Amino acid sequence: MKIVRGINFIEGSREEELPNFESNFPYIASRVELNQYAEDSIPWHWHKSVEVFYVEQGKIEYRTPNGHYIFPQGSGGMVNSNVLHTTKPQEDNTVQLIHIFDPSFIGGETGNIIVKKYIMPIITSGELDMN
């Protein structure tokens, strides 16, 4: 698990650059120490991958174009594929554990029944930005 204290973008966009994210193993696990970032929040960004997170310590606010959500210590959520979002710690020493993965990581080959029936309806839903 990599410790993260900043964010980088793909040049000319707000798409997050995901270091060590490989097509043959499309998964990253990170321990994000939000109070160690140079700014007081993580700027607006997006990624093609799904983000699942758990708030290990503190409290965090997520914002999307559709609203804002507060997650206290011990809670977690999911940011859907291609959703623009920003986060801001609401307490000192906020730490979250993040898993970022391509849907193929859990669904296998594109077009199989798991992908068609369970994954595609979620990641293509315009109404489901965050859970």
Side-chain angles (χ1 to χ4, degrees):
M1 184 172 288
K2 183 178 179 178
I3 296 175
V4 177
R5 295 182 177 141
I7 184 172
N8 295 315
F9 298 105
I10 294 175
E11 189 173 332
S13 77
R14 299 306 292 176
E15 182 178 0
E16 182 179 6
E17 183 181 306
L18 300 173
N20 303 317
F21 195 83
E22 304 292 335
S23 60
N24 63 351
F25 193 76
Y27 170 80
I28 299 172
S30 303
R31 176 182 167 85
V32 179
E33 298 176 348
L34 292 159
N35 297 100
Q36 299 297 320
Y37 278 57
E39 301 171 5
D40 68 342
S41 65
I42 298 173
W44 287 96
H45 67 284
W46 64 276
H47 32 76
K48 295 174 189 165
S49 302
V50 174
E51 176 179 322
V52 175
F53 64 90
Y54 172 78
V55 181
E56 182 178 80
Q57 184 175 320
K59 186 189 305 184
I60 189 168
E61 176 185 30
Y62 268 78
R63 288 188 178 271
T64 72
N66 293 328
H68 73 279
Y69 313 86
I70 302 291
F71 294 90
Q73 181 174 321
S75 67
M78 178 195 96
V79 180
N80 209 348
S81 175
N82 298 309
V83 171
L84 186 65
H85 59 285
T86 182
T87 58
K88 183 174 185 171
Q90 301 296 298
E91 295 180 1
D92 290 340
N93 301 316
T94 297
V95 174
Q96 69 180 149
L97 306 178
I98 296 182
H99 303 274
I100 296 178
F101 54 90
D102 186 273
S104 66
F105 186 73
I106 57 172
E109 289 185 35
T110 303
N112 72 32
I113 192 70
I114 294 171
V115 172
K116 287 179 184 176
K117 190 171 181 179
Y118 299 105
I119 295 173
M120 291 307 291
I122 293 171
I123 66 170
T124 59
S125 172
E127 290 91 42
L128 181 60
D129 61 353
M130 182 155 208
N131 244 356

